[in-house]
Amino acid sequence: MPEMPEVLFTKSAFKIATHCPTQAYYYRNSKGKNPEYENQSATDEFLKSMAEGGFQVGELAKIYGEVPPENDLEGCFGYDEPLKRTHELFEQENVNIAEAAFRFGDCFVRADVVKKKGGFIDLIEVKAKSWDPNNPFVNTPTRGANAGRKVVDSGIRDYLYDVAFQKWVVENALKIDYPEKQFTVRAYLMMADKSKVNTIPRLNSLFRIKKSVGSDGEKRAHAEVAPEAIEILKNPHEHVLTPFYVDDECKLIIEGKTAEQADVLGMQFVPFIEEKSKWFVNNEKHYCLLGSKCFKCPFQLSEEGKAKGLKSGYEECWRNTAGFKDEDFEKPLLKELSGTGIKRDDWIRSGIYFIKDITEAVYPRKNDGTGAGWTINERKWVQIDRTNDGSKEPVILRDELRAEMATWKFPLHMIDFETTNSALPYFDGQRPYEQVAFQFSHHIIYKDGRIEHKGQFLETRPGYFPNFDFVRELRDQLGKDDGSVFRYSHHENTILNAIREQLIASKEPDKAELIEFIESITHRGKKKKDGHYEHEGERDMIDLCEVVKRFYWHPIMKGSNSIKQVLPAILNSGTYLQEKYGKPIYGSEIKSCNYTAESPLTLIVKNESGEVQNPYKALPQLKEIQDELIGEIAAQGLWSKEELEQYVQSASADEMDAEEDTRINNGGLPLVLFRSFQALDPSVDWEKAITAANPSKDAIKYNALRKGLLKYCELDTMSMVLIWEYFNNLTKE
């Protein structure tokens, strides 16, 4: 029998173990060529897009750390090769290394950047996180259980624990590897500094995300440094990526002197490492106490994972610790409840796992509402009561909803934004993670019931800051009347207030008018007792999500008010919408900016079991949109369709190629595509770069992806229209 390869306790394993040691076991056994458990975080597209931003930060850190290419050990795999190379490089008196390797006992770390200057070792952990240097990493609360004791800020805890783990491993490894030498290890966290303003145009685009296929056949992302990046970064500029000195905080953590360790780790820091590393390398499974965090466990089983014969770590924990049987996983669990007053951790510790076990002694009913509709408590009890009754029908406060809708002023405007941000700003003059608003969609509902996709905005030109034109176009589209404006949840209000701050600091000639417009449709400041805000526009956007919360609940929604849950609920609740939108009227009877009478969209399609399919699945695949463009060019007679298809497929493997067989139907993809657009040559007019004589590959992809983004965002506001139509029909019955 072949000997099993050695497995060591790495940074990733340590981080997972700090949240749940049992998950560390599942993590170990979800890797390799023959995984035992499914790990859904490995396939989460939004998490992947976030990780790709980390690759960009990592490459910039190597440049700032003055790591020569030959000292970048990223291409060294396993344990032995990087350890050997690190030891060789450490023979130099002064040396800078990326991905240096250190081992102490069962623990193994790859340090992002190490700078050796004689006996001093600067250990730099790089994170795509932002931090305000005015905020301390460790606080001393004046009240509560930890009053007078040092506590690591929860917002930075994972990151400080990470670098403290590395410092502990590196210090101990050096004592063993170099017993005759004295080293001083100083710990740093290199992060985006919120106080810094970027002075490099298109900084983000100096680090372009590329996709490549590894030896295991999996497609992976990495950041490629643009050829001009090094020269640009040699010029004086503001470093938005800053090394924060955290050595003192790491010493406190390693010595077990921060008070949160008992709650977070269950013991002090070093004993935790020693115990959990032993469990990990020996592949020991130890079950932990259950809690609400278990509901977000990534080791749950999807249909795809089930087909592959993988196991569910999530189910194993509940079977072992709570005695669950197969049928218990089908019962409504506490994970379906959340919000103010819901104490899931306390309930789980007392053995309450199911909604049916919640009593008034556990969660008292309250009747303290003063406004129209349910309070949070009342709505939770609607959910609890109807779930326990097994009801399949929605609950609607019809009269109250009718009265609420009577206050809305026609025409009604439904708007939705697509925005992004990044640790490395896209534009000069921006701080890390400052918002960029690059797209919106706008539907209008008239008093006579007519619906129209009135307008849209999409700015993807590389190097072009879109925010102020975004607001100008939104003002022009909404400013023709004083009808009610609707958003879904808080995002649009937050973004417009962020742009307001940008305008205040800007030199835009019309900034006063733009600020006035923003203030007219938003609110800011604290909420007062009367339900209004300190600063509230006369046309403050109405939150359709809040309307849902106060007047409507459906069993399909369970405890979620996300539009992705509400939409299937209303579409499956009656025949009115199904009959109307089961026909290809969208783009013909209903005017659209992206669909035509010749090529309309059937929004509602039922599956084989008679359930309404998610309308986002009706969106065309990006490959289909690209083929349409190719067909239009081929019709001009200079290229055959086959020649064009072959030509386009020869493009390099980057982000714009990676998603061509998908639909733009998840929240993470527009962010990724905006980043890829910004990496293009800013001297080219990409929207006009397609000609029959010279059909640029990148231009075809650029325009296909733009069309996909426009159709995606249009469906977001049409979803809001569908919710209104459903409510309007109900209140007329």
Side-chain angles (χ1 to χ4, degrees):
M1 184 175 180
E3 187 176 336
M4 293 297 289
E6 184 177 31
V7 176
L8 297 177
F9 194 58
T10 61
K11 288 195 296 184
S12 296
F14 166 77
K15 180 181 177 181
I16 294 169
T18 60
H19 291 273
C20 175
T22 318
Q23 280 193 20
Y25 171 84
Y26 298 135
Y27 166 73
R28 172 183 166 147
N29 291 281
S30 67
K31 297 167 68 68
K33 293 182 178 179
N34 298 299
E36 187 177 353
Y37 295 90
E38 180 168 13
N39 182 1
Q40 293 201 22
S41 65
T43 57
D44 187 295
E45 290 301 324
F46 184 74
L47 290 177
K48 282 183 181 179
S49 70
M50 296 296 287
E52 288 166 4
F55 297 149
Q56 295 177 303
V57 169
E59 290 302 320
L60 179 57
K62 292 175 189 177
I63 295 171
Y64 284 165
E66 300 177 311
V67 178
E70 64 271 19
N71 290 1
D72 185 351
L73 309 186
E74 186 178 9
C76 295
F77 300 107
Y79 304 128
D80 294 338
E81 184 184 0
L83 284 168
K84 179 173 176 287
R85 287 285 295 123
T86 301
H87 202 279
E88 290 170 353
L89 290 169
F90 254 61
E91 293 177 4
Q92 301 177 37
E93 181 69 9
N94 301 317
V95 66
N96 299 337
I97 312 170
E99 294 294 327
F102 302 89
R103 175 177 180 173
F104 173 64
D106 292 327
C107 299
F108 176 84
V109 299
R110 300 287 298 271
D112 291 335
V113 176
V114 168
K115 303 182 78 170
K116 178 180 180 289
K117 299 176 183 178
F120 291 93
I121 310 294
D122 287 347
L123 173 68
I124 305 171
E125 172 66 11
V126 184
K127 296 293 184 186
K129 178 182 174 56
S130 61
W131 192 259
D132 187 335
N134 295 315
N135 293 339
F137 296 119
V138 175
N139 300 293
T140 307
T142 57
R143 63 180 78 180
N146 291 324
R149 304 171 69 193
K150 295 184 182 299
V151 177
V152 176
D153 186 296
S154 60
I156 199 71
R157 187 172 61 217
D158 280 355
Y159 307 96
L160 275 182
Y161 276 20
D162 187 340
V163 74
F165 171 64
Q166 293 180 61
K167 176 180 168 70
W168 181 79
V169 172
V170 172
E171 285 182 331
N172 284 289
L174 292 175
K175 289 175 186 176
I176 292 174
D177 294 345
Y178 305 93
E180 74 289 351
K181 294 183 180 180
Q182 282 289 115
F183 286 107
T184 300
V185 179
R186 301 177 296 201
Y188 294 83
L189 262 177
M190 183 173 269
M191 299 181 289
D193 187 335
K194 283 185 177 181
S195 69
K196 301 288 181 64
V197 177
N198 175 42
T199 55
I200 297 180
R202 305 182 69 229
L203 173 62
N204 189 283
S205 300
L206 296 179
F207 305 92
R208 186 171 184 180
I209 299 298
K210 296 280 188 175
K211 303 287 176 75
S212 58
V213 178
S215 57
D216 57 0
E218 292 293 322
K219 186 177 284 186
R220 291 186 177 85
H222 65 279
E224 181 179 278
V225 181
E228 68 273 18
I230 303 299
E231 288 303 314
I232 290 173
L233 293 167
K234 282 180 181 178
N235 297 323
H237 66 278
E238 189 74 87
H239 286 215
V240 295
L241 194 63
T242 304
F244 291 81
Y245 182 74
V246 295
D247 201 64
D248 294 336
E249 290 83 356
C250 287
K251 287 176 182 175
L252 286 173
I253 293 169
I254 292 168
E255 291 167 4
K257 293 181 179 178
T258 58
E260 80 291 335
Q261 292 183 28
D263 292 330
V264 176
L265 305 177
M267 60 183 73
Q268 289 188 325
F269 190 75
V270 173
F272 175 86
I273 296 171
E274 292 171 340
E275 180 179 82
K276 298 326 183 244
S277 63
K278 178 177 174 293
W279 290 0
F280 189 79
V281 299
N282 292 335
N283 208 19
E284 298 177 25
K285 186 196 297 182
H286 294 263
Y287 291 105
C288 305
L289 292 174
L290 296 172
S292 59
K293 65 181 180 183
C294 298
F295 297 137
K296 296 181 179 179
C297 177
F299 300 98
Q300 300 188 46
L301 203 56
S302 66
E303 289 301 318
E304 184 180 358
K306 191 180 296 183
K308 291 179 179 178
L310 297 175
K311 296 180 182 178
S312 167
Y314 167 81
E315 289 190 11
E316 283 191 10
C317 283
W318 285 92
R319 291 180 196 278
N320 180 277
T321 309
F324 271 33
K325 297 179 173 58
D326 287 350
E327 58 269 23
D328 291 320
F329 292 102
E330 303 302 319
K331 298 175 183 176
L333 289 163
L334 286 187
K335 68 178 177 182
E336 297 176 13
L337 282 175
S338 62
T340 305
I342 303 296
K343 301 177 180 179
R344 296 191 299 187
D345 281 320
D346 291 344
W347 298 347
I348 290 169
R349 278 193 287 270
S350 64
I352 297 174
Y353 308 127
F354 305 103
I355 288 180
K356 68 178 180 60
D357 296 325
I358 299 173
T359 64
E360 292 190 50
V362 170
Y363 183 52
R365 292 180 192 261
K366 296 179 182 179
N367 188 18
D368 55 359
T370 55
W374 295 308
T375 63
I376 293 173
N377 178 277
E378 289 169 340
R379 193 173 192 275
K380 293 302 176 189
W381 271 107
V382 168
Q383 181 184 351
I384 294 167
D385 290 338
R386 294 300 187 275
T387 300
N388 291 338
D389 290 346
S391 173
K392 302 297 183 186
E393 297 301 316
V395 185
I396 306 133
L397 297 181
R398 200 180 303 251
D399 293 339
E400 291 93 332
L401 177 59
R402 184 184 298 110
E404 177 79 10
M405 294 178 71
T407 67
W408 300 346
K409 189 170 184 177
F410 285 95
L412 310 181
H413 301 266
M414 306 291 174
I415 60 172
D416 178 81
F417 298 171
E418 291 296 336
T419 64
T420 188
N421 56 44
S422 177
L424 303 185
Y426 290 101
F427 310 101
D428 57 322
Q430 280 200 301
R431 299 179 191 275
Y433 289 111
E434 195 169 342
Q435 292 289 348
V436 177
F438 63 91
Q439 182 177 14
F440 71 72
S441 175
H442 170 212
H443 271 86
I444 285 186
I445 303 167
Y446 296 97
K447 194 168 185 176
D448 61 4
R450 284 185 300 115
I451 295 161
E452 180 181 357
H453 185 221
K454 187 64 176 178
Q456 58 191 4
F457 176 91
L458 178 59
E459 179 56 81
T460 54
R461 285 177 291 171
Y464 195 89
F465 181 62
N467 288 19
F468 302 151
D469 280 350
F470 176 99
V471 174
R472 290 184 184 102
E473 181 62 28
L474 186 66
R475 177 198 58 187
D476 291 347
Q477 292 192 26
L478 297 181
K480 293 179 172 60
D481 57 68
D482 59 353
S484 298
V485 183
F486 291 79
R487 55 186 164 83
Y488 200 93
S489 200
H490 310 289
H491 184 64
E492 284 68 25
N493 190 77
T494 301
I495 294 300
L496 286 173
N497 276 311
I499 298 176
R500 174 183 173 275
E501 293 298 318
Q502 293 171 340
L503 280 164
I504 290 171
S506 78
K507 296 180 180 179
E508 296 296 300
D510 58 343
K511 73 177 189 178
E513 292 89 345
L514 296 178
I515 290 170
E516 182 182 7
F517 163 69
I518 289 174
E519 291 177 347
S520 73
I521 65 169
T522 60
H523 64 259
R524 63 188 193 281
K526 293 182 179 179
K527 197 171 188 178
K528 299 183 291 187
K529 289 183 179 180
D530 63 1
H532 293 280
Y533 291 85
E534 290 175 332
H535 304 280
E536 189 173 287
E538 67 277 6
R539 203 181 171 196
D540 187 18
M541 290 179 285
I542 297 167
D543 186 352
L544 196 55
C545 181
E546 286 298 318
V547 175
V548 169
K549 289 178 184 178
R550 288 161 50 208
F551 304 109
Y552 178 78
W553 180 81
H554 192 289
I556 290 176
M557 295 161 54
K558 298 181 180 179
S560 173
N561 297 300
S562 161
I563 197 167
K564 296 294 193 292
Q565 291 295 110
V566 176
L567 191 58
I570 64 129
L571 295 182
N572 281 286
S573 290
T575 58
Y576 172 73
L577 292 178
Q578 293 176 17
E579 290 175 356
K580 179 176 179 180
Y581 291 102
K583 302 168 187 173
I585 64 168
Y586 192 80
S588 54
E589 293 179 27
I590 296 176
K591 183 182 175 183
S592 163
C593 295
N594 300 299
Y595 294 92
T596 64
E598 293 74 32
S599 183
L601 178 68
T602 302
L603 273 172
I604 295 183
V605 178
K606 293 185 179 181
N607 60 23
E608 293 177 357
S609 59
E611 293 179 336
V612 173
Q613 176 181 275
N614 185 333
Y616 284 85
K617 291 186 177 179
L619 289 172
Q621 288 191 352
L622 294 176
K623 183 70 164 60
E624 295 173 50
I625 298 172
Q626 183 173 291
D627 286 346
E628 283 183 21
L629 279 173
I630 289 174
E632 291 171 10
I633 299 168
Q636 298 179 47
L638 294 179
W639 294 68
S640 72
K641 189 174 182 182
E642 291 73 21
E643 286 174 327
L644 280 168
E645 286 174 346
Q646 187 174 3
Y647 175 62
V648 171
Q649 287 171 4
S650 67
S652 60
D654 60 18
E655 286 172 301
M656 289 211 300
D657 304 302
E659 315 298 343
E660 64 183 11
D661 292 324
T662 67
R663 294 179 174 90
I664 299 182
N665 59 9
N666 73 74
L669 195 51
L671 283 63
V672 172
L673 294 179
F674 182 82
R675 183 173 63 213
S676 70
F677 290 148
Q678 292 305 305
L680 294 171
D681 184 349
S683 67
V684 176
D685 186 343
W686 291 98
E687 291 180 48
K688 298 178 181 177
I690 302 178
T691 65
N694 182 26
S696 160
K697 292 175 283 190
D698 279 342
I700 291 174
K701 290 181 179 299
Y702 176 93
N703 284 277
L705 293 170
R706 273 183 58 87
K707 286 191 174 188
L709 283 171
L710 290 168
K711 291 184 176 185
Y712 170 80
C713 198
E714 178 175 359
L715 188 51
D716 280 343
T717 46
M718 188 57 200
S719 297
M720 296 168 66
V721 171
L722 291 170
I723 293 171
W724 174 84
E725 275 199 276
Y726 175 72
F727 286 164
N728 186 57
N729 188 59
L730 279 177
T731 54
K732 285 183 176 178
E733 289 178 358

